[in-house]
Amino acid sequence: VQLVQSGGDLVHPGGSLTLSCAASGFTVATNHMNWVRQAPGKGLEWVSVIYAGGSTLYADSVKGRFTISRDTSSNTLYLQMDSLRGGDTAVYYCARQKYGEFGDNWFDPWGQGALVTVSS
Amino acid sequence: DIQTTQSPSSLSASVGDRVTITCRASQSVHNYLNWYQQKPGKAPKLLIYVASTLQTAVPSRFSGSGSGTDFTLTINGLQPEDLATYYCHQTYTSPGTFGQGTKVEIK
C-alpha cells in the first residue's frame, strides 16, 4: 500500500500546475483521498478531499482555484492548481483517509511529497 | 471549526528521557485523535490513531492517551532516531484539523 507523487515544479504567479498521486495496493475510487500542504518551515495544512462518493471539499484558501479529481483507470489522484500565488509555495502531500469500525479515521499512507514553488 | 493546540511547540531532551507532548481540542473530539511523526525532509508518518492505538511497526516506547479534549503523546526512553516534529490531528469533524506541531530535539 503506497502513494507515489509527481508533478512538483517552479511556476510563475498566475500560472497553473497539476500534481499526480498514483496509488498501489488499494483503490483510489473507493477511499476518501486528501491533499495536505506544508509551507517552508511551517506546519501541515489540509487542502482538499475527494470522498469515495465523488463529492469534494476545499480549504477556503484554495477554493475556486484548485480542483481535486481522480482517474479510476490509472488509480491516480490529481490536484489541478490554477491562479497560483506566492502563498501556495509548499510541499504538497496526498494521503488516504482510512476508516475504522466506528467512524474513527486517520491519514495513512502519505505520498512522498511534491514541491511547488510559485515565484517570478 | 475545532481548533487543536499542541504544547510545547518545541523541546530538547536527552537520550533515554521520557517526553510528553499534549494536544488540546477546542471541543470534544471523543477519541478521534491521531498522531503523526515527521522526520526532517520526509513525509508525515502515522504513529498513533484513535488516541491510543499504535500503528504497525511503531516502537512500543511510543504511547498515546486521552479522550474528549485532552490528549498526550509519550515517548518512554527517547532515542536519537526520534528527532522529528510530531503533529496531532483531530478527525471528529471533516475535514479534520492539525495541531501546529511539536519539534523534538536531542540534547
Side-chain angles (χ1 to χ4, degrees):
Chain A
V1 173
Q2 68 172 351
L3 295 166
V4 177
Q5 296 183 230
S6 59
D9 206 347
L10 169 63
V11 187
H12 293 308
S16 298
L17 190 67
T18 299
L19 303 180
S20 301
C21 172
S24 59
F26 70 96
T27 302
V28 164
T30 59
N31 283 269
H32 302 341
M33 297 296 298
N34 292 262
W35 288 98
V36 175
R37 70 183 180 182
Q38 186 171 39
K42 302 297 184 182
L44 302 173
E45 178 191 14
W46 174 83
V47 172
S48 181
V49 60
I50 182 166
Y51 294 108
S55 59
T56 59
L57 207 59
Y58 299 91
D60 287 345
S61 57
V62 307
K63 199 175 297 182
R65 301 187 299 121
F66 288 13
T67 304
I68 190 171
S69 64
R70 64 194 181 200
D71 177 70
T72 53
S73 62
S74 61
N75 205 28
T76 300
L77 176 73
Y78 297 99
L79 185 67
Q80 168 75 35
M81 302 182 291
D82 298 317
S83 303
L84 282 162
R85 310 164 179 166
D88 297 319
T89 294
V91 175
Y92 287 73
Y93 298 100
C94 57
R96 177 183 66 171
Q97 190 163 354
K98 187 166 170 60
Y99 277 74
E101 190 177 354
F102 304 105
D104 42 297
N105 62 96
W106 53 91
F107 287 8
D108 182 67
W110 294 63
Q112 83 276 18
L115 176 60
V116 175
T117 303
V118 183
S119 175
S120 54
Chain B
D1 288 1
I2 297 178
Q3 310 301 316
T4 47
T5 304
Q6 286 181 238
S7 61
S9 55
S10 66
L11 64 90
S12 181
S14 299
V15 171
D17 281 355
R18 179 177 182 170
V19 168
T20 299
I21 299 168
T22 63
C23 178
R24 174 163 288 177
S26 57
Q27 63 189 75
S28 176
V29 298
H30 299 272
N31 62 346
Y32 289 34
L33 193 286
N34 312 306
W35 292 95
Y36 303 91
Q37 177 192 61
Q38 185 178 34
K39 294 186 176 181
K42 300 294 187 183
K45 184 184 87 166
L46 179 68
L47 210 57
I48 289 169
Y49 58 99
V50 198
S52 61
T53 303
L54 218 60
Q55 170 69 329
T56 304
V58 172
S60 58
R61 63 180 179 273
F62 291 93
S63 64
S65 64
S67 67
T69 60
D70 294 307
F71 300 86
T72 300
L73 171 68
T74 301
I75 309 174
N76 271 306
L78 187 69
Q79 296 300 304
E81 60 266 31
D82 300 335
L83 167 73
T85 300
Y86 295 84
Y87 293 92
C88 64
H89 176 220
Q90 72 81 15
T91 54
Y92 182 66
T93 57
S94 185
T97 48
F98 293 95
Q100 78 276 21
T102 296
K103 186 174 184 178
V104 174
E105 297 176 323
I106 312 295
K107 278 184 188 173

